[in-house]
Amino acid sequence: MQLTGTQFTDTTAKVGNDLATFPDFPAEIRAPAGSRAGVSGFQIHFSSHDIYTPGDAPSVLVAMNPAALITNYEDLQPGGIILVNTGAFTAADLKKAELDVNPLTDGTLKGFRVIEEDINQRTTEALADLGLGKKDVLRCKNFYTLGMVYWLYSRPMEPTLEWLQKKFAKKPELIEANSRALKAGYNHGELLRLFQGRYEVPKVEDAPKGHYRNIMGNEAVAIGLVAGAKLANLKPFLGSYPITPATDILQHMALLKNYDVITCQMEDEIAGICTAIGASFAGRLGMTTTSGPGLALKTEAAGLAAITELPLVIVNVQRGGPSTGLPTKVEQSDLLQSMFGRNGDCPIPVVACATPSDAFDCAVEACRIATEYMTPVILLSDNYIANGTEPWKLPVMDELKPFPMTFATDPEGFSPYTRDEKLARNWAKPGTPGFEHRIGGLEKDAVTGNVSYVPENHQVMTETREAKVMGIRESIPTPPLNGEATGDLLVVAWGSTFGATRAAVERLQKEGVKATHLHMRHLWPLPHGLLEIFKGFKRIIVPEMNRGQLAWVLQSRYPEVRFESYDKVKGKPFQARELKAHFETILEEMS
Amino acid sequence: MSEVQQLKAKDFKSDQEVRWCPGCGDYSIISGVQKTLAEVGVKKENVVFISGIGCSSRFPYYMDTYGMHSIHGRANAIATGVKVANPELDVWVITGDGDGLSIGGNHMIHSLRRNVGLKIILFNNEIYGLTKGQYSPTSPQGLKTKTSPYGSVDAPFDPMQLALGAGATFVARTMDVSPKHMKEVLAVAARHKGAAFVEVWQNCVIFNNDTFKGWTEKAVRDEMTISLVAGEPMIYGKERDKGLKFDHTAIVKCSADEAAVWDPTQESMGQAFLMTQLDKDPSMPRPMGVLRQVTSPTLEELVHDQVDEVTDKRGTGELKDLLYTPDVWEVK
């Protein structure tokens, strides 16, 4: 199903639509087919104008079995189209989906346009003379269905036909079978006029000029980390351990060896970050990628990177927690863990990406902060960004400003804790004569860099590490406002709530409401200028996929104003309409 | 400074005051390492010592080389990062029985199986010293400590057996009270390509004094230990009159004339494993010296070879290629 969705996505990008996707699949690799828990879904929203989310309420639902139907039909727009594979609605199929009666016949789907088609049978007929086994034939049913939907939305079949040639280059019989299924599905739509009307979604006309490609969040992080290291004039080293939903970053970077990338899949999360720390000590840019439980394991080592003041990028692709939680579902509940989850006073800068393409910029930014300030940095993504796709307007190469690192050059009186104006310490790498020195987890003397238990020194070093991190504010902008600088409602969001928030606020603005969206990329340190903005609004709402973590931080930092949390922890992203409805309730209270 | 110069042991001493307990076996080990580095002729700037946590882990602060005193149990992982990032460096891991076999046991076995080019010195004193006397994963069953007041019920690890089991390409043992033997073993370890695991019997004078006395004391050492030397017969005893030989799956005593020749370079680990079993028989000497020494590609070599191979095949990646892939489309 994910494969079929990806094909529709790629074709849709090629015809020039803006798009956003939301794959939704179970944690189990082969969850029982036909069961409710085993439903693997793929949602795509595409349009001829700018879009911010994979859509609240789909117009079309393709349900390949009763479980898929019953777990998704309620999200559909009233009057929406439901295409059902009746070949998978036998009594046994209904039982697997825990259904006593057939939802196709009991009135459940009243108000929707239901198109019933025995896709199993149609596919079997189309491939009858190929001599394939029944199992192989039925595997082609998704492509038959894809053909029908291609017809419905007037998509060309060529990109998928070409892709099949490459995908099954070594199995020509499968090229033939899937191509034939795709075409048969398309022709079926055409011949039988199954759908009343057909949709044309013209390409985006006012899209900014430039080069584009489709990008998934995890891939954008991988590319961004490699680009960031290059801009820092360092070679990247990724030490990591597979964990859902972050694994793709390691997989993608492992392919990029010709970009001077070293990846090591280590024995555990701790070894992942520790090898990265070792690599940074040796003069590379160390990186590690993980998800919430993995970040918890890396905690002690993150503290080591902070006290040894080595550059390090830690990527946390958040998922539902605590503990193993919801590995394949979205949440943004590791904010406080990222900010404070270490022993001792141990500030670490935190950057969060908003969309799949923004993940590239944020990864570069994390590399910049890590190297310019000699500090570990936590980059927060989440499952919604990681697996979501959108067209990415590529930066022109000149726009990527280098921030080259330099190593200490004067061995005379060298101390590793001599600092520059940003309070970043000297960096000398092993192999350089005259700079032999020791660093470590014990507190160090502010001047000599030797172990020190002097009370005053620990105070000085603790304050210095904090001042260094707070100083990052001088290099980051006040976040731009989408809307007026003053008004009734300010929505402060971070991370992947960007799309739903932006869409909801823009809809309100179109209705004449004085609402503004402020999106936070830098979560620690908080940028300058926020209080002045906050003071310009009557109500401030902070929607988060957690129980109010950013709201809690903002409230403690800015007690002068009041922050209202709006939370959702259902493993699903906010929908624009639910945010809009909530904002309307607030506005009503005000009137 | 880059020209090769003859460094002396004292050139490797940092200006920091050494703070181990008087009489601690660590003094002898650091001295042995400093002498070895001078003898092997390393470049000081290329030497990196990585340690975890524990008494022995203060070691890097006392060495005038690059170093990192890291966190408990993680030295092998950090050192792996250092070595892979820059294979030119001589990377040493300093660890103990608690640091390297308990909290860091996982990293230990994985760095050995990967054959990372690290020289790993495991200070084994069969006790937790820095936390003031609790039983460790090498403490013998029955040992009374602060956390085992009625005797430890845990079965111990044999460090060399564990290293062999993890596929180590170099496994050796020496003792703090024999500086000469230690220097010989460390010199071979220093020259080994790949992971070199050296267990050092180290006496903790405060919390586990004399734990190795029954084997290491001068009066009994020759009778209670056997120094294994590659290519030489397995002979021991004050009079060099006792020998060991292999009898199917056992090692048995024999006369010096009949002693088998020790060969640590065999691909099979069988004989090395048998050696680690000698302690089951209290009348048998315990093996010291190099138990295993074989050649195998190192992790850092394989990693960098792969980078070179992919780069040769696909060309050096430029930033622009990374972004502008063939599936890019243009909006004009």
Side-chain angles (χ1 to χ4, degrees):
Chain A
M1 192 47 67
Q2 302 302 319
L3 207 76
T4 322
T6 308
Q7 279 306 302
F8 192 90
T9 305
D10 289 349
T11 302
T12 295
K14 288 199 174 91
V15 302
N17 293 145
D18 193 12
L19 64 87
T21 69
F22 175 45
D24 187 17
F25 44 84
E28 297 76 16
I29 300 300
R30 294 278 181 266
S35 70
R36 291 188 185 206
V39 173
S40 173
F42 191 98
Q43 186 169 323
I44 174 165
H45 182 195
F46 55 102
S47 166
S48 55
H49 55 83
D50 253 1
I51 51 177
Y52 301 120
T53 76
D56 295 349
S59 318
V60 178
L61 169 69
V62 180
M64 297 304 283
N65 60 40
L69 177 68
I70 212 70
T71 52
N72 285 289
Y73 80 95
E74 285 171 318
D75 289 339
L76 210 61
Q77 277 176 11
I81 296 173
I82 301 179
L83 171 59
V84 178
N85 175 19
T86 55
F89 274 70
T90 63
D93 294 321
L94 293 170
K95 199 178 161 206
K96 272 191 248 171
E98 301 159 43
L99 290 166
D100 297 329
V101 286
N102 189 342
L104 298 177
T105 56
D106 72 347
T108 302
L109 305 180
K110 207 172 148 209
F112 297 111
R113 286 161 60 192
V114 182
I115 296 160
E116 298 185 13
E117 194 56 56
D118 188 343
I119 295 171
N120 290 3
Q121 181 60 26
R122 294 288 90 78
T123 309
T124 307
E125 287 162 9
L127 307 183
D129 58 335
L130 282 181
L132 289 177
K134 193 179 171 196
K135 218 169 159 187
D136 283 334
V137 167
L138 285 181
R139 278 200 182 130
C140 299
K141 67 179 185 295
N142 286 357
F143 275 82
Y144 188 95
T145 315
L146 183 64
M148 292 176 77
V149 182
Y150 273 1
W151 179 82
L152 177 65
Y153 281 104
S154 317
R155 316 271 97 171
M157 285 185 284
E158 284 70 25
T160 297
L161 292 171
E162 281 166 24
W163 176 84
L164 284 168
Q165 296 281 344
K166 278 187 214 148
K167 168 87 180 168
F168 296 117
K170 286 181 186 149
K171 293 178 180 166
E173 71 278 12
L174 293 184
I175 300 176
E176 175 60 18
N178 282 293
S179 303
R180 207 191 277 192
L182 182 76
K183 288 178 195 166
Y186 191 95
N187 294 338
H188 189 72
E190 174 112 323
L191 285 171
L192 299 183
R193 300 277 157 184
L194 280 173
F195 308 98
Q196 304 162 358
R198 188 181 180 204
Y199 301 89
E200 293 276 352
V201 182
K203 66 178 185 181
V204 181
E205 282 305 340
D206 53 353
K209 285 188 177 121
H211 290 84
Y212 289 78
R213 70 187 263 204
N214 265 349
I215 194 85
M216 279 178 91
N218 272 341
E219 189 182 359
V221 170
I223 298 172
L225 291 176
V226 177
K230 247 188 189 337
L231 294 168
N233 199 25
L234 295 172
K235 294 175 177 178
F237 177 101
L238 175 65
S240 186
Y241 186 75
I243 182 170
T244 304
T247 314
D248 279 344
I249 305 174
L250 169 61
Q251 290 177 180
H252 195 78
M253 278 181 73
L255 286 169
L256 300 175
K257 297 223 151 66
N258 58 323
Y259 290 85
D260 270 329
V261 173
I262 289 180
T263 57
C264 285
Q265 179 181 313
M266 295 308 294
E267 58 270 20
D268 60 24
E269 295 282 357
I270 296 171
I273 186 171
C274 284
T275 43
I277 290 171
S280 281
F281 180 54
R284 279 191 169 242
L285 179 52
M287 306 163 172
T288 188
T289 49
T290 190
S291 185
L295 185 65
L297 284 164
K298 292 178 196 295
T299 294
E300 187 193 11
L304 177 69
I307 198 168
T308 53
E309 301 188 49
L310 284 168
L312 176 74
V313 179
I314 304 167
V315 181
N316 176 11
V317 184
Q318 300 166 97
R319 64 191 216 187
S323 186
T324 310
L326 302 171
T328 60
K329 307 294 174 191
V330 68
E331 211 163 87
Q332 45 183 184
S333 47
D334 295 340
L335 178 64
L336 294 183
Q337 181 186 208
S338 303
M339 284 178 166
F340 308 118
R342 286 163 295 280
N343 61 309
D345 284 306
C346 185
I348 287 183
V350 181
V351 177
C353 42
T355 69
S357 64
D358 186 52
F360 173 84
D361 295 334
C362 289
V364 171
E365 174 68 350
C367 294
R368 180 192 71 84
I369 294 173
T371 49
E372 284 187 357
Y373 292 86
M374 292 292 284
T375 178
V377 176
I378 294 179
L379 171 62
L380 289 175
S381 174
D382 66 34
N383 188 41
Y384 185 51
I385 295 169
N387 289 305
T389 312
E390 68 175 358
W392 171 31
K393 185 177 178 298
L394 295 166
V396 176
M397 297 314 288
D398 298 347
E399 288 170 6
L400 297 170
K401 296 276 174 265
F403 37 89
M405 275 311 288
T406 50
F407 291 91
T409 50
D410 185 8
E412 196 57 46
F414 168 80
S415 155
Y417 288 95
T418 307
R419 295 171 191 278
D420 67 10
E421 70 285 355
K422 289 174 173 163
L423 298 178
R425 76 168 181 88
N426 256 328
W427 194 11
K429 57 180 171 182
T432 325
F435 292 91
E436 291 83 0
H437 67 279
R438 278 66 57 194
I439 56 175
L442 283 175
E443 185 62 282
K444 297 296 183 297
D445 183 88
V447 179
T448 64
N450 291 322
V451 175
S452 168
Y453 298 106
V454 175
E456 281 308 315
N457 180 70
H458 182 53
Q459 180 91 30
V460 166
M461 286 299 271
T462 303
E463 288 178 11
T464 304
R465 286 187 289 266
E466 181 182 309
K468 178 179 79 169
V469 169
M470 294 315 280
I472 295 167
R473 283 182 298 183
E474 309 311 322
S475 73
I476 60 178
T478 303
L481 294 175
N482 188 260
E484 302 288 329
T486 58
D488 293 331
L489 190 68
L490 178 70
V491 184
V492 181
W494 69 278
S496 76
T497 54
F498 172 85
T501 306
R502 180 57 52 96
V505 169
E506 286 194 354
R507 283 176 208 170
L508 286 174
Q509 288 168 346
K510 278 188 189 139
E511 292 168 14
V513 174
K514 291 178 127 185
T516 294
H517 174 202
L518 179 149
H519 204 77
M520 309 262 300
R521 169 182 283 184
H522 296 93
L523 293 160
W524 200 260
L526 293 167
H528 287 303
L530 292 180
L531 183 60
E532 293 68 25
I533 295 172
F534 294 152
K535 281 180 170 169
F537 292 87
K538 290 179 187 156
R539 300 279 288 263
I540 305 174
I541 313 296
V542 188
E544 294 178 85
M545 289 180 282
N546 63 49
R547 294 283 291 151
Q549 299 190 8
L550 178 64
W552 188 86
V553 170
L554 292 175
Q555 195 61 70
S556 77
R557 303 305 288 184
Y558 307 102
E560 302 90 330
V561 284
R562 186 168 159 247
F563 299 89
E564 299 172 55
S565 170
Y566 182 58
D567 77 283
K568 179 172 182 179
V569 283
K570 297 179 178 177
K572 286 191 157 204
F574 281 113
Q575 296 182 324
R577 63 177 174 183
E578 70 183 301
L579 285 182
K580 182 168 177 269
H582 178 71
F583 301 154
E584 281 165 343
T585 315
I586 302 281
L587 291 162
E588 261 170 47
E589 285 171 18
M590 292 166 70
S591 61
Chain B
M1 287 208 49
S2 57
E3 72 269 21
V4 183
Q5 51 184 174
Q6 196 53 52
L7 294 170
K8 299 194 170 67
K10 69 172 172 48
D11 293 322
F12 291 96
K13 286 183 185 161
S14 79
D15 59 358
Q16 295 298 291
E17 183 197 350
V18 183
R19 292 190 184 176
W20 287 311
C21 307
C24 176
D26 291 3
Y27 286 96
S28 147
I29 304 176
I30 199 166
S31 160
V33 171
Q34 285 161 346
K35 283 177 191 152
T36 303
L37 291 175
E39 186 190 304
V40 174
V42 295
K43 282 185 190 169
K44 198 160 97 166
E45 66 270 22
N46 279 354
V47 179
V48 183
F49 280 90
I50 307 286
S51 63
I53 294 292
C55 291
S56 61
S57 287
R58 299 299 173 93
F59 194 104
Y61 291 126
Y62 308 139
M63 298 294 295
D64 190 22
T65 63
Y66 284 94
M68 191 195 298
H69 172 223
S70 73
I71 46 177
H72 204 15
R74 317 302 170 201
N76 292 57
I78 291 170
T80 298
V82 173
K83 186 69 181 175
V84 172
N86 183 356
E88 299 294 308
L89 301 173
D90 296 313
V91 185
W92 294 68
V93 169
I94 303 296
T95 186
D97 42 313
D99 189 60
L101 298 182
S102 194
I103 189 168
N106 197 31
H107 309 305
M108 179 63 76
I109 56 174
H110 288 279
S111 58
L112 293 176
R113 83 165 159 95
R114 292 191 181 103
N115 198 30
V116 191
L118 309 174
K119 315 305 157 217
I120 303 160
I121 308 183
L122 186 126
F123 293 34
N124 183 12
N125 55 18
E126 300 187 347
I127 197 81
Y128 281 89
L130 197 60
T131 50
K132 300 185 172 60
Q134 299 80 26
Y135 63 100
S136 91
T138 55
S139 299
Q141 238 164 0
L143 188 72
K144 286 186 178 168
T145 71
K146 286 179 185 162
T147 48
S148 56
Y150 307 110
S152 163
V153 296
D154 286 13
F157 268 142
D158 178 310
M160 289 200 297
Q161 218 169 66
L162 187 77
L164 288 169
T169 55
F170 184 100
V171 179
R173 177 157 68 190
T174 183
M175 59 178 88
D176 55 1
V177 290
S178 176
K180 187 172 163 283
H181 187 261
M182 181 161 49
K183 220 178 77 176
E184 283 166 11
V185 167
L186 289 179
V188 193
R191 293 186 176 105
H192 177 69
K193 188 175 78 76
F197 178 89
V198 181
E199 176 195 357
V200 185
W201 278 353
Q202 174 250 326
N203 189 43
C204 173
V205 282
I206 307 295
F207 297 108
N208 203 17
N209 197 19
D210 292 341
T211 186
F212 299 112
K213 195 177 167 188
W215 298 274
T216 61
E217 203 177 34
K218 274 226 167 95
V220 300
R221 194 187 298 165
D222 291 338
E223 301 296 327
M224 295 308 293
T225 64
I226 177 166
S227 180
L228 299 170
V229 180
E232 290 189 17
M234 305 192 295
I235 298 174
Y236 68 106
K238 208 162 218 156
E239 309 301 328
R240 306 281 298 158
D241 56 344
K242 301 185 177 79
L244 295 178
K245 66 176 183 181
F246 298 98
D247 179 14
H248 299 286
T249 57
I251 295 174
V252 293
K253 289 180 181 169
C254 61
S255 68
D257 297 343
E258 293 172 302
V261 171
W262 178 242
D263 180 11
T265 66
Q266 304 169 75
E267 208 38 61
S268 162
M269 288 189 188
Q271 294 188 347
F273 259 114
L274 288 179
M275 277 295 166
T276 66
Q277 300 277 342
L278 285 184
D279 62 355
K280 301 277 185 267
D281 179 349
S283 77
M284 279 288 197
R286 294 198 175 179
M288 307 303 285
V290 179
L291 259 74
R292 180 169 174 79
Q293 185 182 9
V294 296
T295 314
S296 184
T298 65
L299 176 74
E300 62 274 13
E301 276 174 355
L302 295 170
V303 164
H304 285 269
D305 285 354
Q306 202 171 56
V307 167
D308 293 346
E309 214 171 279
V310 178
T311 308
D312 281 350
K313 212 163 154 187
R314 299 169 64 174
T316 306
E318 297 298 333
L319 192 48
K320 188 161 184 189
D321 309 330
L322 187 63
L323 273 66
Y324 287 75
T325 45
D327 56 344
V328 163
W329 71 89
E330 191 179 0
V331 173
K332 289 179 184 166

